[in-house]
Amino acid sequence: MLLRTFGWSFGITVLGLVAAFFYGGWTAFGVVAILTVLEISLSFDNAVINAGILKKLSAFWQKIFLTIGVLIAVFGMRLVFPVVIVAISAELSPLEAVDLSFNDPDRYKELVTDAHPSIAAFGGMFLLMIFLDFIFAERDIQWVRWIERPLSRLGRVDMLSVCVALIVLLTAALTVATHAHQHGGEHADKSETVLLSGVAGLIAYLVVGGLSSFFENRLEAGEQEGDEQADRGGSATSATALVGKAAFFMFLYLEVLDASFSFDGVIGAFAITNEIVLMTLGLGIGALYVRSLTVYLVRQGTLDDYVYLEHGAHYAIGALSIILLTTIRYEINEIITGLVGVVLIGLSFWSSVRRNRALAADGDDAGPTPAQQA
């Protein structure tokens, strides 16, 4: 099971490290290894969230997530995305931006740093909406009850998460964005840029998430109608087309989600290296492990066994969104960003273990079940 899920990750790791060695010797080898660990540590919460969505998809779409999705994640977000950011911010053609990344990596890093406010605002708002929709939803299982219980009651107010997100965005635009961090330690007023990018991130979440929910609801309604017809003796309605549409938009939602999680990894990578080749190799290998971990969590049913993991991941998402918005003005070490997610998920895992032990102890105290007696 482990080898089948992580086999490609292990193989690509070896090839990537060998390629790095031939590209730049042991120094490049070490840089790629560090970037791989950085990406995995920063994106572990991404794997948990993705697993909660991916378990709703068929085995076919899970394979698509591991194949086409990996190509999008590695080449789209870890190679093309930084180049596009530089091209747009510096008003260059994509070819000029690629040439700049290879021949003048320092200038390339400066342009990406200057574009960081728009990146952070877009990604921060997208991730914040994920957290708010989770924390305002009513659910049977609650982890931090003194927080989640009153917030779930407030969540009955329509569009509350959107209102809170817009308030946070406006606050960021009027505070941290007025002295946004730029290269060379300088600061500039990026309020308008942050507002536009943040609204774009909010729209992206509402459109992609809304389409995913729409087709998922259509699928459930079609399946229910088919079951009712079968109960009446008729033929069940086929929901194949609905499955395809629902799966496609959920896959699209996963890719946008992964893109939002990638922002901090891509930006953080510039603190380690300016070379686009090493950056793509290290972050790409890390992204592949994150995807393999997502599928492993789904196939093992880990989220069902450790029920607070999803809570911890969403709290990590909320923390990451605030960190991203804060980095518009202040530099925050990537180690701190990674540790916040790891600590929150670790605490949720330990709480899940304690819950399982308590339930097992209660079961033992209750005596054998009728099935065990039989």
Side-chain angles (χ1 to χ4, degrees):
M1 176 66 181
L2 186 66
L3 185 60
R4 186 178 67 178
T5 305
F6 288 90
W8 277 103
S9 300
F10 296 149
I12 296 299
T13 300
V14 174
L15 293 176
L17 291 174
V18 170
F21 176 79
F22 282 106
Y23 178 81
W26 288 109
T27 300
F29 181 95
V31 168
V32 170
I34 292 172
L35 287 174
T36 299
V37 175
L38 172 70
E39 177 69 13
I40 294 173
S41 64
L42 290 176
S43 301
F44 185 80
D45 49 353
N46 188 9
V48 177
I49 295 299
N50 284 353
I53 301 171
L54 196 64
K55 68 181 181 180
K56 302 176 183 179
L57 302 181
S58 65
F60 169 78
W61 279 98
Q62 290 179 12
K63 290 180 181 179
I64 294 294
F65 179 74
L66 271 177
T67 52
I68 297 177
V70 165
L71 293 177
I72 296 174
V74 174
F75 294 102
M77 286 307 302
R78 276 74 180 181
L79 177 61
V80 177
F81 173 69
V83 172
V84 170
I85 289 296
V86 171
I88 294 175
S89 61
E91 298 182 355
L92 302 172
S93 69
L95 291 178
E96 289 175 323
V98 172
D99 179 70
L100 193 65
S101 68
F102 283 101
N103 298 318
D104 193 355
D106 290 334
R107 178 56 180 162
Y108 182 78
K109 178 183 178 181
E110 290 176 359
L111 293 174
V112 173
T113 301
D114 290 345
H116 177 69
S118 58
I119 300 171
F122 182 94
M125 292 305 297
F126 190 93
L127 295 178
L128 181 61
M129 281 299 301
I130 294 173
F131 169 72
L132 292 175
D133 276 350
F134 177 86
I135 202 69
F136 285 140
E138 294 187 19
R139 51 181 39 84
D140 295 331
I141 298 176
Q142 296 176 335
W143 181 31
V144 188
R145 293 184 179 180
W146 62 274
I147 294 178
E148 297 175 17
R149 183 174 296 172
L151 289 180
S152 65
R153 293 172 181 169
L154 287 175
R156 298 170 186 172
V157 179
D158 290 338
M159 306 300 291
L160 179 61
S161 58
V162 175
C163 293
V164 173
L166 288 173
I167 291 172
V168 172
L169 176 61
L170 184 60
T171 302
L174 295 176
T175 54
V176 292
T178 57
H179 293 81
H181 176 74
Q182 304 286 270
H183 77 274
E186 298 181 358
H187 293 82
D189 188 350
K190 295 285 185 176
S191 300
E192 182 178 352
T193 299
V194 168
L195 275 175
L196 291 175
S197 301
V199 170
L202 179 61
I203 292 173
Y205 174 84
L206 293 175
V207 170
V208 178
L211 288 173
S212 299
S213 299
F214 172 75
F215 283 106
E216 186 179 4
N217 292 336
R218 286 281 302 276
L219 171 61
E220 293 175 355
E223 291 177 342
Q224 182 178 1
E225 182 180 349
D227 292 339
E228 291 176 354
Q229 289 185 5
D231 292 339
R232 293 194 299 265
S235 58
T237 302
S238 174
T240 303
L242 292 175
V243 172
K245 291 178 181 178
F248 171 76
F249 281 104
M250 291 184 74
F251 171 77
L252 182 61
Y253 177 78
L254 277 172
E255 292 306 314
V256 177
L257 178 61
D258 177 75
S260 299
F261 273 102
S262 303
F263 294 146
D264 61 326
V266 172
I267 299 302
F270 281 103
I272 299 173
T273 181
N274 298 339
E275 297 193 35
I276 192 65
V277 173
L278 300 183
M279 190 182 303
T280 303
L281 283 174
L283 297 182
I285 294 172
L288 189 59
Y289 274 101
V290 172
R291 269 168 158 62
S292 297
L293 179 60
T294 298
V295 174
Y296 181 80
L297 292 174
V298 172
R299 293 175 177 172
Q300 291 292 102
T302 304
L303 297 182
D304 295 328
D305 295 334
Y306 302 97
V307 295
Y308 297 138
L309 269 181
E310 194 170 2
H311 294 72
H314 278 90
Y315 278 104
I317 285 177
L320 179 58
S321 67
I322 299 302
I323 289 174
L324 271 176
L325 294 174
T326 304
T327 57
I328 293 174
R329 180 172 180 175
Y330 304 101
E331 292 188 68
I332 298 179
N333 193 288
E334 290 74 27
I335 295 177
I336 297 176
T337 304
L339 283 177
V340 168
V342 171
V343 168
L344 287 170
I345 292 176
L347 289 174
S348 65
F349 176 78
W350 175 240
S351 297
S352 300
V353 171
R354 293 180 59 188
R355 175 181 182 274
N356 292 342
R357 289 177 179 174
L359 291 175
D362 292 341
D364 292 340
D365 293 340
T369 64
Q372 292 173 329
Q373 292 177 344

